Amino acid sequence: MNILGIESSCDEMAAAILCGNEIVSSVVHDQTSVHQPYGGIVPELASRDHVCAISSVVCRALEAASLTEQDLDGIAVTAGPGLMGSLLVGVSFGKALAYRLEIPIVGVHHLSGHLAAAELAESSLRPPYIGLVVSGGHTALYRIDRDGRSTLLGETRDDAVGEAFDKVAKLLGLPYPGGPAISQAAQSGNPEAIVFPRPLAGQGGLDFSYSGLKTAVAVEMEARGGLAAISVPDFAASFEAAATEVLVQRTVKAVQQEGLEHVAIVGGVAANRRLRETMQRMAEQKKFRAVFPPLALCTDNAAMIAAAGARLIASGESHGVSLSAFSRVPFGEAPWRT
Ligand code: KG4
Ligand code: ZN
């Protein structure tokens, strides 16, 4: 079965073709140059760029797979959560194409896509497992059970961890997107140079909080004489250490609380080198298995959406032309399913 995946929930326009468990093509059109002058994503510019790019991105995915539209057996598209204008571009295009080709189309929850990336990368990963979702919009721990059931174990009370990376990068004069820029600057810095607070450290529960950490970086910078006077690599490394340590510590707690042996770490921040290394070290120590998707499947892509949607299509599901986009959807819900 050839499934076309389409992902346009934020600032990436992506299309991919999945055949069985094999990614036969994956194209990501990145909008960094569109948003970089503004230091963050401008929703209106994101959706306008999606409109211009979608047709050629889908064509490139088909060409790279040496397939034509007629070879497609189904379409999976991100229906939420995300930026409404951006989501609508992918959903509308997908519906029109599915209608014309008379093939099924299913809406996919963006986070189901991220988790499917881990299952695609590691075939032995099967529920029940712990899912740590760390991206620009989400920071949450879930217990993932069979048949698509999930339980929220903890989540951020304010900023998402990716958002904190992006905001701190801005404070440090680093370019957007902030996550990779901080990670790179941190490589030549000392992670112990400044001891930033570990948010909610020592408190019970599995929640996260990142707005205080961002403020602590701003206050410390000011106290040391501002951007011109500080070592950006040391600040980047010390922030990265604080931000990732909390993720690892909470994940260990979730593993122990739920008595599970597998953890999938997904979303853009799962590309972070320090997080990958410290999580793997802790997994060896505490005897659990940490599964990270390959780097290209951590940040937004359409192969993960195709993988999540393929299961729905295989079970006979189709949401048809009534499929709508939803900007806010709790994980586990699918309001587009009628
Ligand atoms: O999953 P994603 O591509 O989009 C959302 O669904 O939000 O995640 C994007 C986020 C951004 O905040 C970006 O700064 C962060 O992931 N990110 C990273 C790294 N690469 C991307 N954060 C830390 N280290 C990285 N290497
Ligand atoms: Zn994402």
Side-chain angles (χ1 to χ4, degrees), residues 119 125-129 143-150:
E119 294 185 21
L125 181 69
R126 288 282 166 262
Y129 63 83
R143 180 192 167 102
I144 310 294
D145 282 294
R146 281 180 233 303
D147 306 322
R149 282 177 298 118
S150 62

Side-chain angles (χ1 to χ4, degrees), residues 118-286:
E119 294 185 21
L120 198 59
E122 178 60 65
S123 55
S124 68
L125 181 69
R126 288 282 166 262
Y129 63 83
I130 298 290
L132 172 67
V133 183
V134 279
S135 70
H138 298 91
T139 306
L141 274 162
Y142 294 95
R143 180 192 167 102
I144 310 294
D145 282 294
R146 281 180 233 303
D147 306 322
R149 282 177 298 118
S150 62
T151 313
L152 179 66
L153 302 174
E155 64 183 333
T156 184
R157 296 181 183 178
D158 38 60
D159 291 353
V161 60
E163 193 180 351
F165 267 91
D166 294 333
K167 287 179 176 170
V168 168
K170 217 169 175 178
L171 287 174
L172 296 178
L174 296 170
Y176 160 87
I182 289 209
S183 194
Q184 205 189 348
Q187 278 180 43
S188 54
N190 173 10
E192 288 163 14
I194 308 128
V195 182
F196 287 123
R198 274 43 178 169
L200 300 181
Q203 293 188 27
L206 293 168
D207 279 351
F208 303 90
S209 167
Y210 279 98
S211 67
L213 178 56
K214 174 202 64 195
T215 307
V217 174
V219 169
E220 192 62 31
M221 259 179 81
E222 212 45 45
R224 295 186 183 213
L227 186 56
I230 62 155
S231 158
V232 170
D234 281 355
F235 263 71
S238 302
F239 160 77
E240 188 181 54
T244 54
E245 190 184 297
V246 183
L247 296 174
V248 176
Q249 187 257 336
R250 292 284 193 281
T251 303
V252 172
K253 213 168 165 181
V255 168
Q256 291 169 342
Q257 178 186 301
E258 298 299 313
L260 296 177
E261 287 163 10
H262 288 81
V263 179
I265 302 100
V266 302
V269 182
N272 183 271
R273 209 166 82 171
R274 187 178 177 93
L275 175 62
R276 293 171 90 95
E277 287 171 2
T278 48
M279 189 71 87
Q280 290 298 6
R281 261 203 310 277
M282 194 52 93
E284 274 168 38
Q285 216 176 309
K286 301 282 180 187

